[in-house]
Amino acid sequence: MLAALVPAGVQAHHSFAAFFDPAKIITIKGTVTEFRFTNPHGTIALDVKGADGKVVHWRAETNAPVVLVRRGWSRDVIKPGETISIEGWVSRDGKPYLRLKQAFNASGKLIGTAPFGQGDS
């Protein structure tokens, strides 16, 4: 009965540990194809060329826009066509998906003012 009182958005929100491996941080570098500055989490899509030369379409889940703004991000901080590097926690299911810890522009400068942690939402 209590579950009926919880808003649908709260029920749909997932735990970090359910989807991402806190013990596995990776770094990828690629060309941005999309940056969505949306709730409940933004996403960065990028094409990453693997060691075999094949391009893999990756997605990185960001924090909510309110948290991104507090860390110096804006809706236009990343644009399609830019090359960036992203460090983050890899998905548990092996898909090319990760949770953003920090991102760097083509010059190697941190995007925003500070990295994100596992518990940030």
Side-chain angles (χ1 to χ4, degrees):
M1 178 69 179
L2 187 58
L5 301 176
V6 179
V10 173
Q11 290 174 330
H13 195 261
H14 58 262
S15 149
F16 170 90
F19 288 93
F20 305 101
D21 187 338
K24 292 184 183 173
I25 296 175
I26 64 167
T27 301
I28 58 174
K29 180 179 181 177
T31 303
V32 176
T33 59
E34 181 182 32
F35 175 45
R36 296 185 65 213
F37 197 75
T38 56
N39 283 313
H41 301 282
T43 56
I44 303 167
L46 62 160
D47 288 336
V48 177
K49 190 181 287 190
D52 60 1
K54 292 181 182 177
V55 174
V56 177
H57 190 69
W58 278 81
R59 284 203 173 282
E61 180 179 289
T62 71
N63 295 84
V66 67
V67 177
L68 292 171
V69 168
R70 281 189 229 137
R71 299 275 177 95
W73 289 58
S74 67
R75 183 173 301 280
D76 61 352
V77 72
I78 297 173
K79 297 176 185 66
E82 292 181 335
T83 298
I84 65 170
S85 296
I86 295 177
E87 181 181 278
W89 296 273
V90 70
S91 68
R92 289 186 178 277
D93 63 8
K95 291 181 181 171
Y97 190 70
L98 55 84
R99 174 68 181 205
L100 175 80
K101 179 177 181 189
Q102 56 190 348
F104 300 91
N105 66 20
S107 301
K109 183 176 185 271
L110 179 68
I111 296 171
T113 59
F116 300 92
Q118 294 175 19
D120 294 344
S121 53

